[in-house]
Amino acid sequence: MTTFQVTSSLNDIAQQTRQAASLLAMLSTEAKNQAIAAVAQALESAKEDILQANIADCEAATAGGIAKPLYKRLQLDEHKLRDAIAGVRDVGKLADPIGQVQIQRELDTGLVLKRITCPLGVLGIIFEARPEAAIQIISLAIKSGNGVILKCGKEAVRSCEAIVKAVKQGLSTTDVNPDVVQLLTTREETLELLRLDKYVDLIIPRGSNSFVRFVQENTRIPVLGHADGICHVYIDKAADIEKAIAVSVDAKVQYPAACNAIETLLVHQSVAAEFLPKVAQALAERQVELKGDERTLQILPEIGAATAIDWETEYSDFILSIKIVDSLTEAIAHINQYGSRHTDAIITEDVTAVETFFGLVNSAGVFHNCSTRFADGFRYGFGAEVGISTQQMPPRGPVGLEGLVTYKYQMTGTGHIVATYTGENAKPFTHKDF
């Protein structure tokens, strides 16, 4: 397929999506919720087709030598699908983010300014091997009045085709035009999508750090995403050891391929001798490979040595690096130097230490006495998430509906002109908020 042909067909797809999205933006909350309910029902009806398609994807990926962490993301079993469909229904229960009046201000008698939330327009979502992400994104897009063009990785093509087929069937029975959801499947279409700045308002990449960086470097469209998921748990000198063990194990092994799983464990030197042998045993029982700095090796001589590169590596696997630090200050400095501003946790019973950690760790999520795996839109009560952002500007962290909404200013007058408010006899503004 030539570049011209791809561009031509994608232009048509993008135009259709934008037109359908503009109509979706005008629909009532009830109509959008009915569409979301129809999508959930259609996904349930197509459950067997979706699961069989995923099995075929997994078999093909295995034959192709897929990496273990990527395979974990690709797998869509009955439990994952059930949770994803539950997330769709949860999105339907959320408040409508569109049409909210953020500012209502009288500038002068009869001259009123409003700031009102509205959809972004069309989202371009590029993701690798995580088919349930498509389900989450579609439900959030419909609720927020946005069209969505999905580009899945080659590993998940069959799964995503089955999902989008079900979604479109569900939407066809509602007031929402099925064209609001589109699926792209070829590698060539990725670059072409990144060039559609005339039609696409936001790109959200979900995948490896190298993949996200590639997207960021090859588009003029705003990009929302994170390149790395290097998360930490710091065990403070005032930590409850049993809590520290439970949280550390969960944060590493509950789902190691996730971007909110920890890659480095920082341990205060005063508790290292007591804590490390216990946590090492608990992690060994879960087949986690440990790497340690010099001081850690003195306590755990049987583990491998960590090198400088380990502190900046996202393993996405059953591997964990450990470093002993002398103070909270050193732990925070390490996190801010090597972390990815995603999610970092402190385990301590010292309130002052928590306040310091929360104030100085520059991450989207800062947690106390709980697993970093809680950094998730579904667990936050967002219904689902379109991705996680580690940028400084909002939206930040797990991005739900609020990250898919912008606003516009509406002003109503009765023939008002600016000349009235300038010059020698300028009339003052009242600037009165309703």
Side-chain angles (χ1 to χ4, degrees):
M1 184 176 288
T2 66
T3 302
F4 173 78
Q5 288 173 316
V6 172
T7 302
S8 177
S9 63
L10 269 187
N11 269 332
D12 291 343
I13 289 171
Q15 282 182 306
Q16 291 169 6
T17 309
R18 182 167 284 282
Q19 289 168 1
S22 66
L23 297 175
L24 170 60
M26 300 297 293
L27 290 181
S28 66
T29 301
E30 182 182 4
K32 289 189 290 186
N33 288 344
Q34 287 174 349
I36 290 169
V39 165
Q41 182 59 52
L43 288 168
E44 281 185 339
S45 298
K47 181 177 70 172
E48 289 307 316
D49 290 341
I50 294 169
L51 293 177
Q52 288 303 313
N54 186 252
I55 289 171
D57 278 335
C58 289
E59 289 174 349
T62 300
I66 189 172
K68 182 181 174 183
L70 203 58
Y71 183 83
K72 281 285 189 183
R73 293 191 181 112
L74 174 61
Q75 273 189 310
L76 181 62
D77 58 23
E78 190 167 346
H79 300 299
K80 269 190 186 180
L81 182 56
R82 178 201 62 203
D83 290 347
I85 295 172
V88 173
R89 291 198 165 99
D90 286 342
V91 169
K93 299 171 188 174
L94 297 174
D96 193 338
I98 302 304
Q100 301 297 315
V101 179
Q102 298 179 328
I103 294 174
Q104 187 169 5
R105 179 173 298 155
E106 177 194 88
L107 306 187
D108 193 7
T109 303
L111 185 62
V112 177
L113 174 72
K114 291 182 182 180
R115 189 170 80 190
I116 298 182
T117 56
C118 61
L120 286 171
V122 175
L123 314 174
I125 316 292
I126 309 174
F127 57 101
E128 291 181 320
R130 199 173 164 200
E132 76 268 24
I135 296 173
Q136 297 177 356
I137 291 159
I138 289 168
S139 61
L140 289 170
I142 294 169
K143 185 77 175 195
S144 58
N146 291 290
V148 59
I149 301 175
L150 300 164
K151 168 60 184 72
C152 68
K154 66 180 186 297
E155 305 86 358
V157 167
R158 299 173 186 84
S159 305
C160 290
E161 286 178 338
I163 288 167
V164 171
K165 179 182 177 181
V167 167
K168 284 180 172 286
Q169 286 175 341
L171 291 178
S172 67
T173 65
T174 74
D175 292 336
V176 176
N177 186 332
D179 284 345
V180 297
V181 178
Q182 306 283 0
L183 177 66
L184 311 180
T185 57
T186 69
R187 190 183 186 93
E188 293 81 6
E189 288 170 321
T190 300
L191 275 173
E192 296 303 323
L193 175 61
L194 296 179
R195 295 175 185 145
L196 286 173
D197 52 294
K198 182 177 179 182
Y199 301 110
V200 178
D201 300 282
L202 181 68
I203 294 287
I204 303 176
R206 295 180 64 155
S208 66
N209 53 0
S210 59
F211 169 71
V212 175
R213 286 200 182 97
F214 171 82
V215 170
Q216 292 169 333
E217 293 166 3
N218 285 277
T219 188
R220 292 182 297 183
I221 304 169
V223 177
L224 187 153
H226 69 282
D228 298 284
I230 301 175
C231 303
H232 304 76
V233 166
Y234 164 60
I235 312 303
D236 186 50
K237 63 182 179 181
D240 178 304
I241 297 301
E242 294 307 313
K243 286 181 189 175
I245 294 169
V247 170
S248 299
V249 171
D250 183 86
K252 178 71 259 185
V253 309
Q254 198 275 329
Y255 187 40
C259 59
N260 56 15
I262 61 168
E263 310 297 2
T264 299
L265 191 60
L266 302 172
V267 184
H268 193 281
Q269 56 86 19
S270 67
V271 297
E274 178 185 3
F275 170 73
L276 285 176
K278 293 179 179 179
V279 78
Q281 180 180 349
L283 290 165
E285 291 171 357
R286 305 297 291 272
Q287 287 76 52
V288 177
E289 176 189 345
L290 300 180
K291 299 183 179 184
D293 68 344
E294 289 185 11
R295 288 201 285 179
T296 300
L297 292 177
Q298 292 173 9
I299 299 172
L300 303 174
E302 71 280 6
I303 72 172
T307 63
I309 197 70
D310 286 301
W311 311 131
E312 54 191 38
T313 298
E314 182 179 10
Y315 303 115
S316 299
D317 204 349
F318 287 89
I319 306 171
L320 181 66
S321 294
I322 304 174
K323 180 181 177 65
I324 294 176
V325 296
D326 289 325
S327 64
L328 170 62
T329 300
E330 185 183 346
I332 291 171
H334 180 98
I335 291 169
N336 286 339
Q337 179 177 353
Y338 295 104
S340 58
R341 299 184 178 185
H342 191 300
T343 305
D344 300 285
I346 181 173
I347 310 302
T348 188
E349 302 304 306
D350 182 347
V351 175
T352 301
V354 176
E355 291 173 351
T356 302
F357 188 88
F358 279 9
L360 297 181
V361 170
N362 190 20
S363 297
V366 283
F367 291 4
H368 171 219
N369 284 355
C370 58
S371 172
T372 56
R373 286 282 293 123
F374 282 109
D376 175 86
F378 180 76
R379 297 185 178 107
Y380 280 9
F382 297 168
E385 67 181 40
V386 292
I388 289 183
S389 172
T390 55
Q391 63 189 16
Q392 288 292 104
M393 294 293 289
R396 200 177 187 202
V399 179
L401 291 174
E402 83 291 340
L404 306 179
V405 169
T406 185
Y407 53 78
K408 62 178 66 173
Y409 289 95
Q410 299 178 354
M411 191 180 298
T412 302
T414 57
H416 291 74
I417 58 173
V418 169
T420 307
Y421 304 90
T422 61
E424 185 177 349
N425 298 312
K427 187 178 181 185
F429 291 102
T430 59
H431 287 160
K432 184 191 302 179
D433 287 331
F434 290 102

